[in-house]
Amino acid sequence: MSARALPFLTAGVVALVIAGCSGGVTGSAAPAPSSTATPPTSAAPASASATTQQPATTPRSTPAKPAGAVERYEAYLHAVGEEDVTTACEIAAPAAKKAEDEGFGPCEKTLPISFAMFSAGQRKALLSATVDRGRVTESATRVDIPAKAVQAGVKFTSSDLGDAVLELRGGKWYITD
């Protein structure tokens, strides 16, 4: 790992630490089971297609697709641009934990240092950054996003942004490296 990529890794690790210290995952409320316990009781529609399409067409695994990982990484980039420590640390919790185990401080303290390593122009560009999915390597549980896949108002390289690895854990995508 290059010395230039270290700040980004530190930011990721810090983010992971914050998420780990938060005592739980925010926004993970499960849908009420009562919504599936009340099947439609209307006997008027005689159409077979109306009864077979009800519950089967509502997949709940949307975040578990590789595309969900790209969207989650974009949210991370936007959080870095906004200097939103809480969001960035939550998304990068596993990487932040790794960095903390290697001697870096907790995410909420080290991530702001990483923010300062980006110029104001770079942070502004991250606010609307997107990822070119054609440059992403995907599997069912792992997504590799090289820095060259990040599309923003300024060009980012591996040495100033770093390549990212996201893994599916507990139904959510996290930056792990």
Side-chain angles (χ1 to χ4, degrees):
M1 168 183 295
S2 72
R4 290 183 185 173
L6 186 59
F8 190 72
L9 175 62
T10 302
V13 173
V14 171
L16 292 176
V17 172
I18 290 174
C21 295
S22 68
V25 178
T26 60
S28 63
S34 62
S35 64
T36 58
T38 55
T41 57
S42 171
S47 167
S49 64
T51 58
T52 59
Q53 293 178 354
Q54 285 278 342
T57 60
T58 316
R60 295 183 186 206
S61 62
T62 303
K65 297 187 296 186
V70 170
E71 291 157 357
R72 183 106 152 128
Y73 186 65
E74 288 173 345
Y76 173 79
L77 295 173
H78 300 165
V80 171
E82 294 170 349
E83 298 185 49
D84 177 354
V85 173
T86 303
T87 300
C89 285
E90 190 273 324
I91 295 170
K97 175 69 172 121
K98 233 188 263 186
E100 187 174 17
D101 290 347
E102 292 174 4
F104 294 94
C107 186
E108 66 272 3
K109 294 193 183 214
T110 58
L111 191 58
I113 296 167
S114 297
F115 292 159
M117 294 182 175
F118 291 106
S119 71
Q122 287 175 316
R123 284 192 307 274
K124 184 176 181 181
L126 287 173
L127 294 173
S128 60
T130 59
V131 173
D132 177 357
R133 294 182 200 291
R135 295 180 180 222
V136 172
T137 305
E138 308 176 339
S139 75
T141 59
R142 179 185 166 115
V143 175
D144 293 278
I145 304 174
K148 66 183 178 185
V150 175
Q151 299 176 325
V154 298
K155 184 175 175 125
F156 287 98
T157 65
S158 294
S159 63
D160 51 27
L161 185 59
D163 298 336
V165 174
L166 284 87
E167 293 180 4
L168 186 61
R169 295 184 178 186
K172 281 187 158 184
W173 291 98
Y174 293 95
I175 298 171
T176 58
D177 193 21

